[in-house]
Amino acid sequence: MSALQTAFAAALSVILVLLTAFTTFTVRSAIVARDSAARTGWISRIGRASDRDTQRWAFVAHRTTGVAVFAFLLLHVLDVGLYAISPSWFDDVHTLYSTAALRVFECFLLYAILFHTLNGLRLIALDLVDIRNATARHLLSLCIVVTLLLGTAAAVVILWPVAT
Amino acid sequence: MSTVVHQPRLATFILMRTTAVVLAVLVLGHFALTHIVTDVSDTGSGFVLRRWSSGLWLAWDWTMLAAALTHGGAGAWLLVEEQARGRAARHLKAGVVVTVTVLLTLGTTALVVGVARGA
Protein backbone atom coordinates (compact mmCIF):
# COMPACT_ATOMS: atom_id res chain seq x y z
CA MET A 1 0.00 0.00 0.00
CA SER A 2 1.12 3.54 -0.76
CA ALA A 3 1.39 6.15 2.01
CA LEU A 4 -1.88 7.78 0.89
CA GLN A 5 -3.71 4.44 0.85
CA THR A 6 -2.41 3.65 4.32
CA ALA A 7 -3.58 7.07 5.55
CA PHE A 8 -7.04 6.49 4.06
CA ALA A 9 -7.32 2.98 5.54
CA ALA A 10 -6.13 4.26 8.93
CA ALA A 11 -8.62 7.17 8.90
CA LEU A 12 -11.47 4.83 7.95
CA SER A 13 -10.46 2.41 10.73
CA VAL A 14 -10.42 5.23 13.29
CA ILE A 15 -13.87 6.33 12.08
CA LEU A 16 -15.23 2.78 12.43
CA VAL A 17 -13.81 2.40 15.97
CA LEU A 18 -15.21 5.78 17.07
CA LEU A 19 -18.54 4.91 15.45
CA THR A 20 -18.74 1.62 17.36
CA ALA A 21 -18.03 3.49 20.60
CA PHE A 22 -20.63 6.16 19.79
CA THR A 23 -23.27 3.56 18.86
CA THR A 24 -22.62 1.63 22.10
CA PHE A 25 -22.93 4.89 24.08
CA THR A 26 -26.19 5.89 22.35
CA VAL A 27 -27.75 2.44 22.71
CA ARG A 28 -26.77 2.25 26.40
CA SER A 29 -28.22 5.73 27.04
CA ALA A 30 -31.46 4.60 25.42
CA ILE A 31 -31.58 1.48 27.63
CA VAL A 32 -30.92 3.60 30.75
CA ALA A 33 -33.66 6.06 29.72
CA ARG A 34 -36.11 3.20 29.14
CA ASP A 35 -35.30 1.52 32.47
CA SER A 36 -35.55 4.74 34.49
CA ALA A 37 -38.85 5.61 32.80
CA ALA A 38 -40.12 2.14 33.71
CA ARG A 39 -38.92 2.54 37.34
CA THR A 40 -40.35 6.00 37.98
CA GLY A 41 -43.68 4.85 36.61
CA TRP A 42 -45.33 8.25 36.24
CA ILE A 43 -44.32 8.64 32.62
CA SER A 44 -45.94 5.32 31.70
CA ARG A 45 -49.30 7.04 31.91
CA ILE A 46 -48.41 9.14 28.86
CA GLY A 47 -48.96 7.15 25.68
CA ARG A 48 -48.40 3.46 25.16
CA ALA A 49 -45.11 1.93 26.29
CA SER A 50 -44.58 0.26 22.91
CA ASP A 51 -44.93 3.65 21.14
CA ARG A 52 -42.31 5.27 23.35
CA ASP A 53 -39.93 2.33 22.92
CA THR A 54 -40.38 2.36 19.16
CA GLN A 55 -39.77 6.10 18.98
CA ARG A 56 -36.68 5.77 21.19
CA TRP A 57 -35.15 3.05 19.01
CA ALA A 58 -36.03 4.93 15.84
CA PHE A 59 -34.24 7.95 17.35
CA VAL A 60 -31.18 5.83 18.22
CA ALA A 61 -31.07 4.36 14.71
CA HIS A 62 -31.53 7.80 13.10
CA ARG A 63 -28.78 9.37 15.20
CA THR A 64 -26.20 6.59 14.80
CA THR A 65 -26.76 6.30 11.02
CA GLY A 66 -26.56 10.10 10.77
CA VAL A 67 -23.24 10.25 12.62
CA ALA A 68 -21.94 7.30 10.55
CA VAL A 69 -22.79 8.93 7.21
CA PHE A 70 -21.43 12.33 8.32
CA ALA A 71 -18.16 10.74 9.50
CA PHE A 72 -17.74 9.05 6.13
CA LEU A 73 -18.63 12.30 4.35
CA LEU A 74 -15.71 14.08 6.06
CA LEU A 75 -13.29 11.44 4.80
CA HIS A 76 -14.92 11.32 1.36
CA VAL A 77 -14.56 15.09 0.81
CA LEU A 78 -10.88 14.70 1.72
CA ASP A 79 -10.28 11.87 -0.77
CA VAL A 80 -12.15 13.67 -3.58
CA GLY A 81 -10.22 16.81 -2.55
CA LEU A 82 -7.03 14.96 -3.57
CA TYR A 83 -8.23 15.48 -7.16
CA ALA A 84 -7.53 19.20 -6.73
CA ILE A 85 -3.89 18.41 -5.93
CA SER A 86 -3.31 15.57 -8.36
CA PRO A 87 -5.61 13.18 -10.29
CA SER A 88 -3.06 10.36 -9.84
CA TRP A 89 -3.15 10.81 -6.03
CA PHE A 90 -6.93 10.68 -6.27
CA ASP A 91 -6.75 7.46 -8.32
CA ASP A 92 -4.25 5.96 -5.91
CA VAL A 93 -6.70 6.24 -3.01
CA HIS A 94 -9.75 5.63 -5.19
CA THR A 95 -8.62 2.09 -6.18
CA LEU A 96 -9.28 1.12 -2.54
CA TYR A 97 -13.00 1.75 -3.11
CA SER A 98 -13.23 -1.27 -5.44
CA THR A 99 -11.53 -3.70 -3.02
CA ALA A 100 -13.69 -6.39 -1.42
CA ALA A 101 -13.40 -4.85 2.07
CA LEU A 102 -14.49 -1.38 0.92
CA ARG A 103 -17.32 -2.84 -1.17
CA VAL A 104 -18.67 -4.50 1.98
CA PHE A 105 -18.31 -1.13 3.75
CA GLU A 106 -20.19 0.58 0.89
CA CYS A 107 -23.10 -1.85 1.34
CA PHE A 108 -23.39 -0.96 5.02
CA LEU A 109 -23.01 2.72 4.13
CA LEU A 110 -25.95 2.38 1.73
CA TYR A 111 -28.10 0.66 4.38
CA ALA A 112 -27.31 3.60 6.70
CA ILE A 113 -28.07 6.21 4.02
CA LEU A 114 -31.32 4.49 3.03
CA PHE A 115 -32.60 4.17 6.59
CA HIS A 116 -31.58 7.73 7.50
CA THR A 117 -33.20 9.13 4.34
CA LEU A 118 -36.48 7.21 4.60
CA ASN A 119 -36.86 7.70 8.34
CA GLY A 120 -35.94 11.38 7.92
CA LEU A 121 -38.69 11.82 5.34
CA ARG A 122 -41.04 10.03 7.75
CA LEU A 123 -40.10 12.50 10.52
CA ILE A 124 -40.76 15.45 8.19
CA ALA A 125 -44.14 13.94 7.32
CA LEU A 126 -44.94 13.59 11.05
CA ASP A 127 -44.10 17.29 11.52
CA LEU A 128 -46.25 18.45 8.63
CA VAL A 129 -49.29 16.19 8.78
CA ASP A 130 -51.32 14.88 11.69
CA ILE A 131 -50.47 11.17 11.71
CA ARG A 132 -51.72 8.67 14.30
CA ASN A 133 -49.12 6.85 16.44
CA ALA A 134 -50.07 3.48 14.97
CA THR A 135 -49.65 4.84 11.43
CA ALA A 136 -46.30 6.37 12.37
CA ARG A 137 -45.15 2.94 13.55
CA HIS A 138 -46.36 1.30 10.34
CA LEU A 139 -44.42 3.93 8.38
CA LEU A 140 -41.31 3.08 10.41
CA SER A 141 -41.75 -0.61 9.56
CA LEU A 142 -42.11 0.41 5.92
CA CYS A 143 -38.84 2.40 6.13
CA ILE A 144 -37.05 -0.67 7.53
CA VAL A 145 -38.48 -3.04 4.92
CA VAL A 146 -37.64 -0.71 2.00
CA THR A 147 -34.13 -0.14 3.43
CA LEU A 148 -33.50 -3.89 3.62
CA LEU A 149 -34.97 -4.60 0.16
CA LEU A 150 -33.21 -1.79 -1.72
CA GLY A 151 -30.00 -2.19 0.31
CA THR A 152 -29.80 -5.92 -0.32
CA ALA A 153 -30.61 -5.58 -4.02
CA ALA A 154 -27.83 -2.97 -4.29
CA ALA A 155 -25.47 -5.12 -2.20
CA VAL A 156 -25.79 -7.91 -4.79
CA VAL A 157 -24.79 -5.47 -7.56
CA ILE A 158 -21.95 -3.93 -5.52
CA LEU A 159 -20.47 -7.26 -4.36
CA TRP A 160 -21.02 -9.09 -7.68
CA PRO A 161 -17.58 -8.23 -9.20
CA VAL A 162 -15.68 -9.61 -6.18
CA ALA A 163 -18.03 -12.54 -5.53
CA THR A 164 -17.76 -13.99 -9.03
CA MET B 1 -36.41 31.69 27.98
CA SER B 2 -36.28 34.47 25.44
CA THR B 3 -36.81 34.16 21.71
CA VAL B 4 -33.09 34.88 21.29
CA VAL B 5 -32.47 31.34 22.50
CA HIS B 6 -35.13 29.80 20.32
CA GLN B 7 -34.57 31.53 17.00
CA PRO B 8 -31.23 29.85 16.19
CA ARG B 9 -32.84 26.51 17.04
CA LEU B 10 -35.70 27.23 14.67
CA ALA B 11 -33.19 28.21 11.98
CA THR B 12 -31.25 24.95 12.53
CA PHE B 13 -34.51 23.02 12.43
CA ILE B 14 -35.59 24.54 9.10
CA LEU B 15 -32.07 24.17 7.67
CA MET B 16 -32.02 20.47 8.63
CA ARG B 17 -35.33 19.78 6.94
CA THR B 18 -34.82 21.71 3.71
CA THR B 19 -31.35 20.21 3.17
CA ALA B 20 -32.78 16.77 4.06
CA VAL B 21 -35.25 16.82 1.18
CA VAL B 22 -32.56 18.01 -1.26
CA LEU B 23 -30.13 15.34 -0.06
CA ALA B 24 -32.70 12.54 -0.31
CA VAL B 25 -32.58 13.04 -4.09
CA LEU B 26 -28.95 14.10 -4.61
CA VAL B 27 -27.20 11.56 -2.34
CA LEU B 28 -29.23 8.53 -3.40
CA GLY B 29 -28.77 9.61 -7.04
CA HIS B 30 -25.02 10.01 -6.46
CA PHE B 31 -24.72 6.59 -4.83
CA ALA B 32 -26.79 4.91 -7.55
CA LEU B 33 -24.66 6.50 -10.27
CA THR B 34 -21.29 5.63 -8.73
CA HIS B 35 -22.10 2.13 -7.44
CA ILE B 36 -25.05 0.72 -9.37
CA VAL B 37 -25.19 2.35 -12.83
CA THR B 38 -21.37 2.49 -13.00
CA ASP B 39 -19.22 -0.02 -11.10
CA VAL B 40 -17.11 1.77 -8.49
CA SER B 41 -13.92 0.51 -10.19
CA ASP B 42 -14.81 2.70 -13.23
CA THR B 43 -15.22 5.91 -11.23
CA GLY B 44 -11.58 7.08 -11.18
CA SER B 45 -10.19 10.44 -12.28
CA GLY B 46 -11.31 9.87 -15.91
CA PHE B 47 -14.90 9.52 -14.71
CA VAL B 48 -14.56 12.66 -12.58
CA LEU B 49 -13.08 14.62 -15.50
CA ARG B 50 -15.98 13.63 -17.82
CA ARG B 51 -18.56 14.27 -15.11
CA TRP B 52 -17.30 17.74 -14.25
CA SER B 53 -17.29 18.81 -17.91
CA SER B 54 -21.07 18.98 -17.57
CA GLY B 55 -22.70 21.98 -15.92
CA LEU B 56 -25.54 19.84 -14.61
CA TRP B 57 -23.19 17.52 -12.72
CA LEU B 58 -21.18 20.46 -11.39
CA ALA B 59 -24.37 21.99 -10.03
CA TRP B 60 -25.44 18.57 -8.67
CA ASP B 61 -22.11 17.95 -6.93
CA TRP B 62 -21.69 21.42 -5.47
CA THR B 63 -25.27 21.55 -4.19
CA MET B 64 -24.83 18.08 -2.71
CA LEU B 65 -21.53 19.08 -1.08
CA ALA B 66 -22.96 22.26 0.46
CA ALA B 67 -26.24 20.62 1.55
CA ALA B 68 -24.52 17.54 3.03
CA LEU B 69 -21.98 19.57 5.01
CA THR B 70 -24.72 21.94 6.22
CA HIS B 71 -27.03 19.07 7.18
CA GLY B 72 -24.28 17.04 8.87
CA GLY B 73 -22.80 20.13 10.52
CA ALA B 74 -26.20 21.20 11.90
CA GLY B 75 -26.75 17.62 13.12
CA ALA B 76 -23.37 17.58 14.85
CA TRP B 77 -24.15 21.01 16.35
CA LEU B 78 -27.44 19.73 17.82
CA LEU B 79 -25.66 16.62 19.13
CA VAL B 80 -23.05 18.80 20.90
CA GLU B 81 -25.79 21.03 22.32
CA GLU B 82 -27.49 17.99 23.77
CA GLN B 83 -24.47 16.11 25.10
CA ALA B 84 -21.92 18.77 26.12
CA ARG B 85 -21.92 21.77 28.47
CA GLY B 86 -19.91 24.96 28.93
CA ARG B 87 -16.39 25.26 27.56
CA ALA B 88 -16.34 21.78 26.01
CA ALA B 89 -19.55 22.57 24.12
CA ARG B 90 -18.15 25.88 22.85
CA HIS B 91 -14.94 24.22 21.64
CA LEU B 92 -16.79 21.35 19.97
CA LYS B 93 -19.17 23.78 18.22
CA ALA B 94 -16.20 25.81 16.98
CA GLY B 95 -14.69 22.52 15.77
CA VAL B 96 -17.85 21.71 13.82
CA VAL B 97 -17.91 25.16 12.15
CA VAL B 98 -14.19 25.01 11.27
CA THR B 99 -14.45 21.44 9.89
CA VAL B 100 -17.46 22.26 7.73
CA THR B 101 -15.89 25.49 6.44
CA VAL B 102 -12.55 23.83 5.61
CA LEU B 103 -14.21 20.90 3.82
CA LEU B 104 -16.59 23.17 1.90
CA THR B 105 -13.58 25.19 0.74
CA LEU B 106 -11.61 22.05 -0.17
CA GLY B 107 -14.56 20.50 -2.03
CA THR B 108 -15.28 23.73 -3.92
CA THR B 109 -11.58 24.01 -4.84
CA ALA B 110 -11.63 20.42 -6.17
CA LEU B 111 -14.64 21.30 -8.36
CA VAL B 112 -13.04 24.51 -9.68
CA VAL B 113 -9.74 22.73 -10.41
CA GLY B 114 -11.71 19.88 -12.00
CA VAL B 115 -13.42 22.33 -14.37
CA ALA B 116 -10.05 23.92 -15.19
CA ARG B 117 -8.59 20.45 -15.94
CA GLY B 118 -11.43 19.65 -18.30
CA ALA B 119 -11.20 22.98 -20.16
Side-chain angles (χ1 to χ4, degrees):
Chain A
M1 281 215 285
S2 73
L4 275 175
Q5 287 176 334
T6 310
F8 180 86
L12 189 60
S13 306
V14 169
I15 285 175
L16 290 176
V17 169
L18 290 177
L19 215 54
T20 310
F22 177 75
T23 306
T24 311
F25 167 77
T26 312
V27 168
R28 285 185 61 172
S29 307
I31 291 171
V32 169
R34 184 192 58 188
D35 290 351
S36 74
R39 255 199 318 280
T40 16
W42 65 270
I43 206 165
S44 64
R45 269 172 268 141
I46 310 164
R48 279 174 46 190
S50 58
D51 271 330
R52 289 197 317 277
D53 272 352
T54 309
Q55 281 158 29
R56 189 176 290 121
W57 290 119
F59 173 82
V60 168
H62 198 74
R63 173 157 281 187
T64 50
T65 51
V67 168
V69 175
F70 186 54
F72 170 71
L73 171 73
L74 302 181
L75 182 63
H76 190 46
V77 175
L78 286 179
D79 77 63
V80 176
L82 287 176
Y83 187 85
I85 307 168
S86 147
S88 63
W89 285 14
F90 170 82
D91 280 332
D92 184 33
V93 171
H94 193 77
T95 52
L96 287 178
Y97 275 89
S98 46
T99 59
L102 262 284
R103 280 176 193 266
V104 171
F105 167 78
E106 286 149 24
C107 294
F108 283 109
L109 178 67
L110 181 60
Y111 281 120
I113 293 172
L114 281 171
F115 177 79
H116 194 84
T117 303
L118 295 170
N119 189 51
L121 293 174
R122 181 185 76 103
L123 294 175
I124 293 175
L126 294 185
D127 279 344
L128 298 178
V129 207
D130 191 22
I131 292 174
R132 287 164 60 233
N133 279 359
T135 314
R137 265 189 299 153
H138 289 319
L139 286 175
L140 177 63
S141 307
L142 186 68
C143 291
I144 296 170
V145 170
V146 174
T147 296
L148 291 177
L149 284 179
L150 286 181
T152 307
V156 172
V157 177
I158 292 168
L159 296 175
W160 196 260
V162 287
T164 49
Chain B
M1 286 294 175
S2 67
T3 47
V4 182
V5 177
H6 286 97
Q7 268 166 358
R9 282 175 169 248
L10 181 66
T12 319
F13 184 86
I14 292 168
L15 208 61
M16 282 299 262
R17 270 146 179 79
T18 45
T19 51
V21 176
V22 171
L23 289 168
V25 177
L26 296 186
V27 171
L28 287 178
H30 170 73
F31 197 100
L33 183 80
T34 54
H35 295 271
I36 309 296
V37 179
T38 320
D39 185 69
V40 73
S41 60
D42 297 327
T43 56
S45 56
F47 175 86
V48 177
L49 188 71
R50 259 176 286 130
R51 186 166 141 118
W52 287 350
S53 62
S54 145
L56 171 78
W57 285 117
L58 275 177
W60 183 299
D61 283 355
W62 192 82
T63 311
M64 181 168 68
L65 173 76
L69 286 171
T70 307
H71 187 85
W77 180 282
L78 291 173
L79 181 65
V80 169
E81 229 169 40
E82 206 182 290
Q83 300 287 345
R85 291 281 173 275
R87 232 153 83 105
R90 277 202 306 280
H91 289 160
L92 285 168
K93 281 177 184 173
V96 170
V97 173
V98 170
T99 305
V100 166
T101 311
V102 167
L103 289 182
L104 186 60
T105 311
L106 178 67
T108 307
T109 309
L111 277 171
V112 171
V113 173
V115 175
R117 286 228 165 84

